[in-house]
Amino acid sequence: MEQTLVILKPSAVIRGLMGEVISRFEKKGLIIAGMKMVQLDDKILAEHYAHLVSRPFFPSLKKSMMVSPVVVMCIRGVDAVAVVRAMTGATNSRKAEPGTIRGDYSMSGQQNIIHASDSVENAEIELARFFDKSEIFDFKPAMLDYLYADDEI
Ligand code: IDP
Ligand code: MG
């Protein structure tokens, strides 16, 4: 199964939306294989958002990601990267479809509740950035036999 990185941003933590968002992933049938609260800093954000460091909004983005701790999650499932991106919705929450996390909980292009890895390759890099191997757990959820047909996993 694939694994992907989700970050519950300060906009989720401070607004009290952590449970709502985590619950969506659980109800979908995704497996939460790792989860912890961390305070991000300049160094890790410059790495994580390396593709955006030259953009004018980068200082504001960085600040917004450090105003509170965040929750980092490793989410596992068949096609987890694409499934979680679809659940996340468009970057600008005002354009995100209703029914997506950003579409339902945010009005902002920046304070948009969660980060989700955008490819299998980036998911691997990002998970290694935020988690030690020992913090990602391989266990069998009780409902696994009812989440997928035998030939899907
Ligand atoms: P993504 O989070 O949907 O993958 P990226 O383009 O990777 O979008 O941007 C990372 C984060 O940077 C976004 O989630 C958002 O918080 C912020 N961001 C992206 N574009 C803008 C912008 O034009 N203005 C302000 N913030 C932005
Ligand atoms: Mg991105």
Side-chain angles (χ1 to χ4, degrees), residues 48-62:
H48 182 65
Y49 285 135
H51 60 301
L52 299 173
V53 283
S54 60
R55 302 292 291 275
F57 59 82
F58 183 68
S60 157
L61 170 62
K62 213 169 54 167

